[in-house]
Each structure stands twice: as C-alpha cells, then as structure tokens.
Amino acid sequence: MNETVLVTGGTGFVAGWCIVELLQRGYRVRATVRSPAKEAAVRAAVSRQVDPGDRLAFAIADLTLDEGWDAAAAGCAYVLHVASPMTTASSNDPQALIAPAREGTLRVLGAARAAGARRVVMTSSCAAVNQGLQSGDTDNDETVWASEQDPDLNAYRLSKILAERAAWDYMATHAGATELTTVLPSAIFGPVLTAENLGSVALIQRQLQGRMPGIPNVGFCVVDVRDLARVHVDAMSAPQAAGQRFIAAGEFLWMREIAQTLRARLGERAAKVPTRRLPNWLVRIGANFVPEMRQLLPMLGRRHIYRSDKAQRVLGYRPRPARDTVVDCAQSLLAAEAA
C-alpha cells in the first residue's frame, strides 16, 4: 500500500498508537513533531510495536504557526488530526488552550484541502457531547452538542468543543473533495509508548506512585488507546463514515473500582494505590489548593455515560474489558519506571 497518512502530534499518547495501527495495516505514515529532536524518540517507541522500515517519516509543524503545514500534508491521501494542546496544573488559562486547538485545527484542515486529501479524521472528545457536568447522571450520544456556556467546563474541555465546532463550520463553508469525520473518545487508558503526554494515564500513574491521598467519588467511561487507534483508522477508510461523529467509549468504572482492580491484579506492585475513599466535602476543600482536584468537582457522584452504538454498528468497534485496559496501562507504566 503506497498511500501516505499524515498524523499530527506524533509524540502524543493517541497519535503514537495511531501510527502503529497504520503501519500494521500497510500504510506509509508522516508524523508531525514540533522539533527534529523528537523524531528519534517517536521512531524508537513505534519500533517496539512494529517495524516501520522506510514507511515512517516526519514533518516539522506546530499548531500555533502557519509554517510547515502545507509541506506536511503534501501527497497525503488522509490526515489523522490527533494533536491538541493539553492543560497543565500551572496554567488553566482558557485562551492558552482554545486558540491553539481551534486555530491549529483550521491550519490542518486548510493544508489537507490544499493537498487534496480524501478525508480528515479529527480527535475530538466526549466533552463535546456532554449534556452538562452537573445536570445529574447523563446518557449521551453523537446527537448531543455540549453547551459552550456550561460554567463547569475547564479550559481543556472547552477547547475540544470549540475546536470541533470550528472544524465542522469550516467544512460547511469550504466545499471540496476533502471529507471530515470526528472521533470523540472518553477517558483514554492503555499501554503507554513513551513517558510523554500521558493525558488521563497520569491518573493511574499517580495512584501507583502513592501520590493520591485517597479515592474521590468520580468515575468515567474507559476507552483503550489501542481500540481508539483502530477506530481512527476505520473512520478514515470506511466510506459510510464520511461526515459523521463517532463516540469511542467503553465500560463505566468508578475510581474506587479501578483502585480495587489494580490492587487485586497487580499485588505488591500496586501496594501504594490508595483504598481510602475521600468524602465529597474533603475533595471540595482540597480543590482550593490542588488544581487537579478542582477539575473533578463537577463530576463528583455522577455517572456520565457515552454510547458507542454508532461506532460499533458502522465501524465494528468492540471495546475490550475496561479492567483489562487499566491493568495493561499500569503494567506498562511500571515497566517504563523499571527500565
């Protein structure tokens, strides 16, 4: 297969597995990185899963800059736009995330259209289909659009909503041969390829390292990063996926269930995983001092369910057991720490 796929954000957790999946299926891959210094690490991580041979190349491009995107997309049949800025504990300024996410998406779409790419698959988020974080338990599918006015949205969640909105608006006003499909994952876990850009995996890491004082009353639908990569590639190649949104989510687990699973299946290796439950009032007090806890407040005690029926029906998505995913995630983190 000679078709080349551009994958943005090549150093990222999801992008790395998308590169692996594409190479395993015989595609050529061009991955964007912000610096040539990142190329060797990405190639090494990918090579531990599949031999890329001469089918993996790199392009230098940054979501915040115009330069490099046309060259990165040139000759590519498809684009997987996975890159997105991540929030940090030190800065939760909405514009620090929203502007790069939205403007970066438009840069990628413009470059894809100029290159004549057949389809762009964009990684959005289940944040973009939530009916309201404090509206009680919710049951969400792709017909739902989250409100940009929801006061409980943090900068990252808002950036994902606005970036996906911008993508669909752009495609509606720029008719052409390039199609758009979006994939909306829930909380992403699974084996890590590198120690960079861990995203939600950092939650497992903090438990293993004993850096959590207890377990808050919070839960989420789990998606395995390997399954998510398959959904991206299937959404790229399936004719019926054009112009569609697809939720990629699996089983709902409370954090206490994750902790219990790690303890039961990893034994002494999970000895630092806390078992004490944190009452909601204590989480609310702690949120005044710990930014990560502040982001949990709207989710306390609520079950937000995301339905992947459409992805299962159209793309053949079959989520693996969530407990297997979190254990595989933990084992990969422990192996990386021991290496």
Side-chain angles (χ1 to χ4, degrees):
M1 187 178 298
N2 293 318
E3 291 177 316
T4 298
V5 182
L6 177 68
V7 179
T8 68
T11 60
F13 178 41
V14 177
W17 280 104
C18 285
I19 293 169
V20 169
E21 182 70 18
L22 288 163
L23 291 170
Q24 288 175 337
R25 297 201 198 186
Y27 290 96
R28 304 184 72 85
V29 178
R30 185 180 302 150
T32 68
V33 291
R34 287 184 294 175
S35 163
K38 301 289 187 180
E39 294 181 15
V42 175
R43 185 178 293 278
V46 168
S47 296
R48 287 192 284 271
Q49 303 296 322
V50 60
D51 180 7
D54 63 353
R55 293 183 294 120
L56 176 59
F58 295 89
I60 308 303
D62 188 312
L63 290 178
T64 64
L65 302 172
D66 292 333
E67 293 77 17
W69 287 108
D70 285 343
C76 291
Y78 303 98
V79 176
L80 300 188
H81 177 38
V82 188
S84 182
M86 292 294 293
T87 188
T88 65
S90 60
S91 173
N92 205 30
D93 172 22
Q95 288 307 315
L97 293 171
I98 292 169
R102 182 175 55 206
E103 301 308 316
T105 293
L106 297 179
R107 288 183 174 98
V108 172
L109 290 174
R113 287 184 70 251
R118 294 200 286 277
R119 186 175 299 170
V120 176
V121 177
M122 174 187 172
T123 311
S124 182
S125 168
C126 278
V129 294
N130 190 281
Q131 299 170 41
L133 291 175
Q134 289 202 65
S135 59
D137 293 353
T138 63
D139 198 317
N140 308 278
D141 63 19
E142 294 89 351
T143 64
V144 176
W145 268 100
S147 171
E148 301 163 17
Q149 307 307 316
D150 185 343
D152 295 313
L153 291 172
N154 64 15
Y156 175 72
R157 293 183 180 118
L158 183 57
S159 76
K160 299 301 285 188
I161 296 168
L162 294 176
E164 190 188 351
R165 284 278 194 193
W168 287 115
D169 289 345
Y170 176 90
M171 297 302 289
T173 56
H174 292 75
T178 302
E179 302 164 336
L180 175 65
T181 300
T182 58
V183 173
L184 297 86
S186 54
I188 309 167
F189 298 103
V192 300
L193 295 177
T194 72
E196 288 192 56
N197 303 321
L198 294 181
S200 52
V201 167
L203 180 65
I204 304 294
Q205 185 179 61
R206 285 196 293 271
Q207 290 187 60
L208 291 170
Q209 294 175 347
R211 292 193 288 124
M212 292 181 64
I215 301 297
N217 188 27
V218 170
F220 24 70
C221 290
V222 172
V223 61
D224 191 291
V225 68
R226 295 162 293 187
D227 296 339
L228 180 58
R230 294 188 187 103
V231 169
H232 276 76
V233 180
D234 290 336
M236 177 191 86
S237 56
Q240 64 271 33
Q244 301 293 320
R245 305 172 88 198
F246 292 99
I247 288 175
E251 180 184 359
F252 182 94
L253 290 179
W254 293 104
M255 282 186 62
R256 64 177 178 271
E257 294 176 307
I258 292 176
Q260 290 165 355
T261 299
L262 295 176
R263 283 274 197 162
R265 293 176 57 175
L266 296 180
E268 285 301 312
R269 291 184 294 165
K272 295 181 181 179
V273 173
T275 57
R276 183 172 74 98
R277 297 188 188 182
L278 294 178
N280 290 353
W281 64 265
L282 185 57
V283 175
R284 293 189 178 98
I285 292 175
N288 293 316
F289 309 99
V290 182
E292 291 89 345
M293 294 182 71
R294 193 177 309 136
Q295 297 179 17
L296 300 178
L297 293 183
M299 302 166 61
L300 287 174
R302 294 178 172 86
R303 286 175 61 95
H304 295 296
I305 301 300
Y306 301 98
R307 299 291 176 185
S308 63
D309 304 56
K310 183 178 177 181
Q312 294 184 45
R313 183 179 68 255
V314 177
L315 303 177
Y317 167 55
R318 297 292 181 267
R320 70 190 70 200
R323 286 171 174 78
D324 291 348
T325 293
V326 297
V327 169
D328 288 351
C329 180
Q331 288 177 326
S332 73
L333 289 168
L334 291 168
E337 187 176 293

